Amino acid sequence: MNTPEQSQSLFARAQELIPGGVNSPVRAFGSVGGTPRFMQRADRQMIYDVDGNAYVDYIGSWGPMILGHNHPAVLRAVQQAIGNGLSFGAATQAEVEMASLVCSMVPSVEMVRMVNSGTEAVMSAVRAARGYTGRDRIIKFAGCYHGHCDAMLVKAGSGVMTSGVPDSAGVPAGCAMDTLTAAYNDLDSVRELFSENPGQVAAVILEPVAANMGVVEPKEGFLKGLRQLCDENGAVLIFDEVITGFRLSLTGAQGVYGVTPDLCTFGKIIGAGMPVGAYGGKREIMQTISPVGRVYQAGTLSGNPVAMAAGIAQLSHLRDTPEVYTQVNALGDYLRDGMRRVIEAHHAPCQVTGVGSLCCLFFTPEPVTDYESAKTADTARFARYFHFMLQHGQSLAPSQFEAIFLSCAHTRENLDEYLELLDRFFTQQP
Ligand code: KE4
């Protein structure tokens, strides 16, 4: 490994010009320390930093790169689209194609609206649920992340207060109070909030597989129970599938677990690395959206032709080669089995979680089923593991509370290299 001199000088300069030197906080290595690597090129499963170092990429731009970087079909589509102009601010055929693709691939989506990020998708879906029900309150889950709109940057109030309190400066208490927080995998906590707020809850929103507190799977019956509670209370069930959508299966987590949301949100894979988000679901809810309905939502670059070309190419490839999922999910099983063998051999106080191509190594002896148990992780030890791996050419998410994202471009040899290094880490730092 070359010393990260270029990254260090770029980071010093960046910190003068950009808050924290980054355009998204997690990239700053805040929870692991050290200098973030400034990347300049990626291809297939590999990514290369400005100091000439090569890494196996286990972030994949936080999810979009399920086919690996620079997939030929995506690259070709983008190059072709660019030649026709970057953005028109007018309706295009590509948007109809994209909408038709999403609605044909995800049965719960009868209508869909394109936006430019997962945050925008969630913000819009929450507004649609509030407009459709005429109610204000939203139930979310501790440890689930849904982007940075005000209503989602809220944590549970203290004690008996069921109303939320801001989880970020700049979020007004008046906004936070309408967001209630339940515990993931705990249906009673949801039942309690519904009974404390009768007729006031517009929606329940969650990551059907949580991947922002590390990876935490829904317990048997949890998603089904939420579906039932929403039906009983006239609330909209929103699955935030920004990570799981088109990753766990062609029909996301809703297809894997067999529970149908009323609305769902997408991002990442739907744009193949270009800035795209989407929200969609029941026609009667989506018809509340402007210009048809009274819920306003808009965006200059929504449905951008270049972004649509990328997304259409990636989704079409996934639809036409479903063996992609067998391949990438099998890699996930292989990696999780290997991780479990290594931590067992070393009696390491760790948990391995994950679904399909999402994996997570928690540095805690406790089973992880929600945010409270996830927070028992030894983040200092995670940081040592992270830097050990980075030094040996493995680019992992710089936080215990993220995921390993596998792609079709990863190989078993890549995973064997990771597992051999994991074994060495525990040998050297028991
Ligand atoms: P964006 O606004 O970042 O496109 O999407 C927000 C979002 C919404 N919902 C879920 C389930 C998400 O995971 C995200 C964003 N994911 C993080 C990674 N955990 C993005 C990385 C970052 O913030 O830089």
Side-chain angles (χ1 to χ4, degrees), residues 331-344:
L331 285 175
D333 291 338
Y334 183 81
L335 182 59
R336 285 186 290 272
D337 291 348
M339 286 164 135
R340 289 186 177 111
R341 270 199 313 279
V342 172
I343 61 177
E344 217 166 281

Side-chain angles (χ1 to χ4, degrees), residues 21-362:
V22 291
N23 283 310
S24 200
V26 71
R27 305 176 190 170
F29 278 24
S31 62
V32 292
T35 302
R37 299 309 189 260
F38 280 59
M39 300 299 184
Q40 68 177 2
R41 183 171 70 85
D43 192 47
R44 297 182 55 74
Q45 79 278 37
M46 299 305 292
I47 194 160
Y48 306 87
D49 73 15
V50 292
D51 291 289
N53 297 311
Y55 305 87
V56 179
D57 182 8
Y58 287 108
I59 303 176
S61 183
W62 301 96
M65 301 305 168
I66 190 166
L67 298 179
H69 292 284
N70 277 351
H71 188 276
V74 174
L75 215 54
R76 231 182 354 261
V78 168
Q79 286 162 341
Q80 194 175 352
I82 284 174
N84 295 329
L86 297 184
S87 181
F88 313 138
T92 62
Q93 181 180 342
E95 290 163 276
V96 180
E97 269 177 44
M98 174 61 107
S100 160
L101 202 48
V102 173
C103 294
S104 65
M105 289 168 78
V106 189
S108 72
V109 179
E110 296 174 332
M111 294 192 98
V112 64
R113 169 63 65 85
M114 292 292 135
V115 292
N116 300 281
S117 69
T119 293
E120 253 194 286
V122 166
M123 178 175 70
S124 309
V126 164
R127 188 179 307 135
R130 284 170 160 163
Y132 174 71
T133 59
R135 300 175 179 180
D136 295 342
R137 307 222 137 164
I138 301 290
I139 294 176
K140 73 177 290 288
F141 293 83
C144 283
Y145 175 67
H146 302 289
H148 62 89
C149 74
D150 283 354
M152 294 295 109
L153 293 180
V154 175
K155 61 188 175 195
S158 59
V160 290
M161 260 177 72
T162 58
S163 299
V165 294
D167 199 11
S168 159
V171 173
C175 164
M177 62 176 287
D178 279 328
T179 301
L180 315 172
T181 302
Y184 201 79
N185 276 323
D186 177 352
L187 284 171
D188 286 341
S189 71
V190 183
R191 211 170 272 118
E192 197 179 317
L193 288 175
F194 270 122
S195 62
E196 285 167 358
N197 301 270
Q200 299 172 65
V201 177
V204 172
I205 183 169
L206 78 158
E207 296 175 63
V209 172
N212 285 286
M213 50 172 137
V215 182
V216 178
E217 283 184 76
K219 277 181 184 165
E220 183 68 35
F222 177 58
L223 298 177
K224 195 155 172 274
L226 289 178
R227 176 67 278 169
Q228 206 173 327
L229 282 170
C230 284
D231 291 342
E232 287 164 5
N233 292 277
V236 172
L237 179 59
I238 304 175
F239 276 6
D240 178 353
E241 296 228 39
V242 166
I243 284 187
T244 54
F246 309 109
R247 174 166 284 278
L248 296 192
S249 79
L250 268 184
T251 50
Q254 55 195 277
V256 171
Y257 293 93
V259 175
T260 303
D262 302 306
L263 289 179
C264 48
T265 56
F266 299 108
K268 302 177 192 282
I269 288 177
I270 196 173
M274 297 298 284
V276 180
Y279 65 105
K282 278 186 173 166
R283 183 177 297 277
E284 60 189 292
I285 302 177
M286 293 303 289
Q287 295 279 35
T288 65
I289 304 292
S290 56
V292 185
R294 296 175 41 248
V295 177
Y296 193 71
Q297 182 267 309
T300 302
L301 297 176
S302 297
N304 170 276
V306 179
M308 292 298 100
I312 289 168
Q314 177 142 284
L315 293 191
S316 304
H317 185 86
L318 290 168
R319 178 200 57 198
D320 300 341
T321 49
E323 58 275 16
V324 156
Y325 291 103
T326 317
Q327 178 193 350
V328 77
N329 292 343
L331 285 175
D333 291 338
Y334 183 81
L335 182 59
R336 285 186 290 272
D337 291 348
M339 286 164 135
R340 289 186 177 111
R341 270 199 313 279
V342 172
I343 61 177
E344 217 166 281
H346 290 272
H347 307 294
C350 294
Q351 301 290 319
V352 176
T353 65
V355 185
S357 55
L358 293 172
C359 302
C360 184
L361 177 62
F362 275 107

